Amino acid sequence: MNDFPNHSLLDRQARWLRHYRPALRVNELGRVVSVGDGIAWVAGLPSAAIDELLLFADGSRAMVFDITDSMIGAVLLSDTPALTAGIGVRGSGHTLSIAAGDELLGRIVDPLGVPQDDRPPPGNTRRQPLEPPSPPIIAREFVHQPLYTGIKIIDTMIPIGRGQRQLLIGDEGLGRSSLALDTVINQREQNVYCVYVLIGQKRSTVVNTIEILREQGALDYTVVVVAEASALPGLQHLAPFAGCALAEYWMQQGRDVLVVYDDLSSHAKTYRELSLLLRRPPGREAFPGDIFSVHARLLERATCLNAAYGGGSMTALPVIETKLGEIAAYIPTNLISITDGQVYLDRTLFAGGFRPAIDIGRSVSRIGGQAQHACIKQEAGRMKLDYLQFMELEVFTRFGARLESSMEAAIHRGRILREILKQERLSPLPVTAQMAWLVAFNDGAFDHTGPEQARERLAALLQVVEVGDLTLDSPREQWQAVAKAVFREPE
């Protein structure tokens, strides 16, 4: 037995010492010229690269954001009271990364991966770069699996598939975040991990969102990335990329992931602020010309991978704000062209009591129909078109015009459907409930009820389905039998 277990280590150190030759080692050292508004101008560091992490002598950190002939513009990621002009700066030679892994589920972190809850930092994690190259074309697969939101209008008329990018767009206060929360809550027991990114939100909004997720049991499979309104602009800019990196890690492991960016309007404003402070030339609405590229690089990483690359998927739900319903503004049109469809919320519908206030005419899902279950797709076939025709016909009733009996029947069915489609927030429905009301409505089970009784009958139907054992693959006759039993008139 070896009595000196460190003998080989001592030998190696002795050999290294014998062969050691002193030599010059060159390190670049810069200095801070000015600092303020979350920006630091640094002189020196000729070898610095864009997105490189900079380390300051006082312990602050920043990321290279702009390079000029004489100085470097860096956005601060952390700062101390000692950060002033003249402080030394050196480059790290690395880009930003974040800890990723299953240990982050149920946690609240900032865009650098620092825990914001009262629990210790997660262990056994792997570092994931914030902005790696997006998956190549050969790694991508067609969207083929549905992602159910639990919202009747979306799951039937505007379906979303796993790997899709679906925009939630509308004015402030119309329920965009509620749609995102309902979708996250509905992923319970669906084998889908969730990442919820809060960008530039008030602390009260952040706390309320986290509490809702906790009360609904959704925090168990969700990680929340927070860069609130009081955070440094650099952190707010990095927040969606950090959330995407976490989701990308699980996608590469073959998991299905849902990531919510709430919201990219705040992110665009932060990027505009940083760009103007760094003296970049402004363009339309004072946004820099590369804002489209920034959001495109973020959202193109959401995809469905083929089996050779693990078969995982990342579904993105970016949230965007409009002003007075102006959908043709710069940032909304950018994101509409980047994503695979949009869910548009209308203020007039909201004021009229139609919740969720989704404008079916302006909402579209370009690829979600390919992932929709065949039975749901068949039942919901012409429903969107029929509903839009009903809305046009209803206009004539305001003028007291006499209509044919067929038109009156179509208007009655349309009003019934409008009542059915109303849904309270934080009450997502399972897909079997969607199938039940679709079959009942298409078979005319609601035709002999008024709009006031329709929701009561719907609640009774859903209660029966909830305790039953029907699935989407069950024969249609069994669904019809359930509907007939619920809508049978008492003798």
Side-chain angles (χ1 to χ4, degrees):
M1 178 180 290
N2 189 358
D3 295 331
F4 302 98
N6 294 326
H7 184 69
S8 58
L9 175 61
L10 294 175
D11 284 344
R12 287 198 303 270
Q13 290 179 337
R15 286 196 300 269
W16 176 86
L17 195 58
R18 284 196 303 271
H19 294 90
Y20 176 78
R21 296 293 181 269
L24 292 177
R25 184 169 56 184
V26 179
N27 283 330
E28 293 181 1
L29 182 65
R31 62 180 179 84
V32 176
V33 175
S34 64
V35 60
D37 297 321
I39 298 292
W41 288 100
V42 178
L45 302 181
S47 300
I50 289 290
D51 293 341
E52 182 180 351
L53 181 65
L54 300 182
L55 306 176
F56 294 73
D58 69 319
S60 302
R61 289 185 293 174
M63 182 183 71
V64 177
F65 203 74
D66 196 50
I67 298 177
T68 66
D69 291 339
S70 57
M71 288 191 295
I72 292 172
V75 294
L76 294 175
L77 305 178
S78 63
D79 58 355
T80 69
L83 180 60
T84 58
I87 291 288
V89 187
R90 62 182 179 87
S92 67
H94 302 289
T95 56
L96 288 172
S97 61
I98 187 172
D102 291 354
E103 293 78 9
L104 282 167
L105 294 174
R107 302 299 302 272
I108 296 94
V109 299
D110 72 2
L112 300 179
V114 179
Q116 301 298 296
D117 47 23
D118 55 357
R119 295 159 59 186
N124 300 323
T125 55
R126 195 186 79 178
R127 303 299 296 184
Q128 186 79 3
L130 254 63
E131 196 172 358
S134 62
I137 293 295
I138 59 173
R140 300 178 183 242
E141 177 66 274
F142 290 109
V143 172
H144 60 278
Q145 282 187 293
L147 185 132
Y148 296 113
T149 65
I151 301 164
K152 287 177 279 191
I153 296 179
I154 296 179
D155 288 344
T156 55
M157 303 185 197
I158 321 165
I160 300 175
R162 298 186 182 185
Q164 185 171 338
R165 303 160 296 179
Q166 188 75 3
L167 185 65
L168 304 180
I169 182 171
D171 286 2
E172 183 180 5
L174 297 187
R176 297 164 300 148
S177 297
S178 296
L179 292 181
L181 284 170
D182 281 347
T183 305
V184 172
I185 293 169
N186 196 59
Q187 303 315 307
R188 187 190 302 113
E189 299 179 359
Q190 299 298 319
N191 200 28
V192 176
Y193 286 169
C194 300
V195 180
Y196 203 105
V197 186
L198 291 160
I199 312 165
Q201 305 284 356
K202 297 181 296 185
R203 177 162 296 186
S204 59
T205 303
V206 172
V207 172
N208 183 56
T209 300
I210 294 172
E211 287 303 315
I212 289 174
L213 292 174
R214 181 176 286 113
E215 291 170 2
Q216 299 291 331
L219 203 58
D220 296 338
Y221 51 86
T222 304
V223 55
V224 182
V225 180
V226 177
E228 58 188 39
S230 60
L232 289 167
L235 290 180
Q236 296 183 46
H237 166 65
L238 291 177
F241 295 98
C244 186
L246 295 175
E248 205 163 36
Y249 167 79
W250 283 311
M251 178 180 69
Q252 294 168 355
Q253 305 301 312
R255 304 298 302 253
D256 295 315
V257 192
L258 168 67
V259 57
V260 177
Y261 305 114
D262 190 5
D263 64 70
L264 289 187
S265 293
S266 300
H267 180 259
K269 293 174 185 175
T270 300
Y271 190 76
R272 175 173 61 183
E273 173 188 338
L274 292 172
S275 298
L276 293 176
L277 287 170
L278 290 166
R279 304 169 192 169
R280 292 183 177 179
R284 179 180 169 188
E285 299 181 21
F287 287 101
D290 63 341
I291 185 66
F292 182 93
S293 173
V294 170
H295 286 158
R297 292 201 316 267
L298 171 69
L299 293 173
E300 72 180 0
R301 291 159 65 183
T303 186
C304 179
L305 299 179
N306 57 38
Y309 286 82
S313 70
M314 184 201 308
T315 308
L317 292 183
V319 180
I320 196 71
E321 179 185 347
T322 55
K323 298 293 186 182
L324 299 177
E326 183 53 62
I327 200 172
Y330 183 44
I331 299 301
T333 51
N334 277 355
L335 289 166
I336 287 173
S337 62
I338 293 170
T339 51
D340 304 311
Q342 70 273 353
V343 176
Y344 181 78
L345 287 90
D346 182 74
R347 185 169 295 280
T348 303
L349 294 174
F350 187 87
F354 183 75
R355 316 283 174 80
I358 298 175
D359 188 332
I360 298 176
R362 292 188 181 185
S363 301
V364 64
S365 178
R366 300 183 183 92
I367 61 176
Q370 301 176 15
Q372 197 172 23
H373 193 281
C375 295
I376 297 287
K377 191 173 185 177
Q378 181 178 0
E379 296 296 333
R382 285 182 50 86
M383 188 166 288
K384 182 176 182 179
L385 180 61
D386 291 344
Y387 186 76
L388 294 177
Q389 290 177 345
F390 148 71
M391 294 180 68
E392 293 181 358
L393 287 174
E394 193 180 32
V395 175
F396 292 101
T397 63
R398 300 175 184 174
F399 304 104
R402 297 185 61 182
L403 303 175
E404 298 179 0
S405 58
S406 60
M407 288 188 177
E408 289 182 352
I411 290 175
H412 177 73
R413 280 178 60 85
R415 288 172 175 166
I416 294 294
L417 179 58
R418 181 165 55 193
E419 289 299 317
I420 293 175
L421 292 177
K422 291 180 180 179
Q423 189 170 347
E424 298 295 330
R425 65 188 296 264
L426 304 181
S427 57
L429 294 177
V431 65
T432 51
Q434 311 276 21
M435 183 66 180
W437 76 261
L438 282 171
V439 171
F441 180 81
N442 288 335
D443 285 357
F446 289 94
D447 289 353
H448 301 293
T449 63
E452 298 79 11
Q453 295 82 32
R455 300 189 74 181
E456 297 178 2
R457 291 292 185 93
L458 176 64
L461 176 63
L462 300 184
Q463 188 175 4
V464 172
V465 173
E466 185 178 358
V467 298
D469 57 355
L470 292 178
T471 67
L472 292 184
D473 296 321
S474 299
R476 194 176 191 277
E477 292 75 15
Q478 296 184 15
W479 290 103
Q480 290 175 312
V482 171
K484 289 179 180 178
V486 173
F487 285 86
R488 183 183 297 117
E489 293 293 337
E491 299 179 1

